[in-house]
Amino acid sequence: QKLYPGATLVFSGMLSKNVEEFMALHKDAFNIKKGISEIPMEQVSRVVLVDTQKLSRLGKIASLLNKPGVEVHIYDHHPRSEGDIRGDIEQIDMVGATTTILVEKIMERNLPVNPLEATLLALGIYEDTGSLLFTSTTPRDAEAVAFTLSNGANLSVVADFLWRPLSEEQIDLDRK
């Protein structure tokens, strides 16, 4: 919504458990639909795919891609493979997190980011890069995290959603 004002955000598939919990906690701050049935199909003129180019990951949203007059924009960090969706606009960069690409766009456009948004963006980068430890992490990812921090990202909140201690039940299973 930062990059596409007026857009309706729709999750097409599964979220990681920690991101899903964060989004559930802040559902009032982010107007996100859980499925295509919640949006008026006849009003869709653009589909923006984030973190995927795979038709199989889109569920019912895939039906919009063949609708006449619908533009497709793709932002992803996964390498292209045969059968991937093609977009009218594509930014596919080999960075550790697709969120990094979005943060760079926000920075280029000098868009304001509040602390809650910065925290969500930081969570996205840390989640995809293993807290900047995965070998796919790039300097661009670290620069994007620095931007989120300079805009008030709360690392305590990020840590709460990334580092989940094992429950007693999980510890007991490990001992068995």
Side-chain angles (χ1 to χ4, degrees):
Q1 287 175 322
K2 280 284 179 200
L3 298 175
Y4 294 89
T8 300
L9 300 177
V10 180
F11 286 129
S12 65
M14 300 287 293
L15 296 174
S16 65
K17 185 175 178 163
N18 52 357
V19 174
E20 185 175 359
E21 288 175 6
F22 179 90
M23 295 308 295
L25 186 62
H26 299 289
K27 66 181 175 227
D28 294 334
F30 302 102
N31 184 21
I32 301 175
K33 308 297 182 192
K34 289 192 177 190
I36 196 168
S37 62
E38 296 185 45
I39 60 171
M41 298 284 278
E42 67 281 356
Q43 293 180 13
V44 176
S45 61
R46 181 184 301 133
V47 174
V48 181
L49 302 177
V50 178
D51 204 31
T52 189
Q53 307 164 59
K54 306 269 178 244
L55 194 60
S56 62
R57 292 189 63 202
L58 298 183
K60 294 179 183 176
I61 290 174
S63 67
L64 291 170
L65 301 180
N66 296 323
K67 184 180 165 199
V70 172
E71 287 182 27
V72 177
H73 297 195
I74 300 171
Y75 298 91
D76 200 0
H77 71 125
H78 299 101
R80 280 206 153 284
S81 61
E82 191 173 327
D84 281 350
I85 298 164
R86 289 296 189 176
D88 299 293
I89 293 177
E90 298 179 354
Q91 184 159 358
I92 300 161
D93 295 345
M94 295 304 105
V95 292
T98 299
T99 307
T100 295
I101 299 167
L102 301 178
V103 167
E104 290 173 341
K105 291 285 184 199
I106 289 167
M107 292 167 62
E108 285 171 17
R109 296 181 190 175
N110 205 22
L111 298 172
V113 174
N114 68 42
L116 182 59
E117 294 166 337
T119 301
L120 176 62
L121 292 166
L123 179 61
I125 296 168
Y126 279 118
E127 175 71 21
D128 250 5
T129 64
S131 298
L132 302 177
L133 295 173
F134 293 163
T135 58
S136 59
T137 303
T138 69
R140 289 171 58 187
D141 297 300
E143 291 164 7
V145 166
F147 173 82
T148 68
L149 293 173
S150 68
N151 281 277
N154 185 330
L155 288 182
S156 293
V157 172
V158 172
D160 284 346
F161 285 93
L162 287 181
W163 306 108
R164 296 290 183 162
L166 294 177
S167 68
E168 287 299 321
E169 183 179 341
Q170 290 169 321
I171 292 169
D172 287 342
L173 281 175
D174 188 47
R175 291 180 186 150
K176 291 180 181 178

